[in-house]
């Protein structure tokens, strides 16, 4: 009888552990938008329309300098909490244009753009 009880207890413990470990695996993944991870601002390759796979992904607030970006590109702001992004003609976030609101994007000529700025 002891042997059965120990076996049942071990089975119950193992089952509980599997259920506990299985919870996060069932969690819904973060909302990705056209390959742009949730919480990021993404720039897509020139003339890629529709936007499918970003060539640049930015997560941190502040200015990010660009190089060799010419012609028309999609820029998607997949941040959250009211965070915005701006395209800037100068390096290090100088000469920025209008804000790109969270959950929106622009199809812009990046030839005159030298940086992208992420704002909280």
């Amino acid at each position: 009888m002891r042997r059965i009880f120990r076996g049942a207890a071990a089975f119950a413990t193992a089952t509980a552990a599997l259920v506990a470990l299985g919870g996060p695996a069932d969690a819904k993944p973060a909302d990705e938008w056209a390959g742009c991870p949730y919480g990021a601002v993404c720039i897509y390759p020139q003339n890629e329309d529709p936007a499918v796979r970003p060539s640049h992904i930015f997560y941190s607030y502040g200015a990010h300098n660009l190089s060799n970006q010419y012609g028309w590109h999609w820029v998607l702001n997949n941040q959250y909490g009211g965070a915005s992004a701006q395209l800037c003609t100068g390096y290090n976030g100088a000469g920025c244009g209008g804000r790109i609101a969270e959950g929106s994007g622009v199809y812009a000529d990046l030839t005159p753009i030298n940086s992208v700025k992420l704002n909280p």
Side-chain angles (χ1 to χ4, degrees):
M1 185 70 159
R2 271 185 166 161
R3 186 184 246 181
I4 293 172
F5 181 72
R6 283 186 191 159
F11 178 75
T13 303
T15 303
L18 285 175
V19 169
L21 292 175
D26 297 333
K28 182 181 176 229
D31 293 335
E32 188 176 278
W33 177 25
C36 186
Y38 190 59
V41 171
C42 298
I43 297 177
Y44 292 79
Q46 182 179 6
N47 299 322
E48 185 176 283
D49 190 15
V52 177
R53 186 181 349 219
S55 55
H56 294 79
I57 301 173
F58 304 104
Y59 288 99
S60 59
Y61 295 136
H64 302 273
N65 292 329
L66 303 175
S67 61
N68 299 316
Q69 298 298 303
Y70 304 102
W72 292 87
H73 299 254
W74 275 106
V75 180
L76 302 183
N77 180 3
N78 200 20
Q79 297 182 95
Y80 50 85
S84 65
Q86 293 174 279
L87 299 177
C88 310
T89 55
Y91 287 105
N92 302 315
C96 297
R99 292 179 181 251
I100 304 167
E102 74 172 85
S104 64
V106 295
Y107 193 59
D109 181 5
L110 297 188
T111 303
I113 303 300
N114 287 303
S115 62
V116 60
K117 185 176 174 186
L118 279 63
N119 307 301

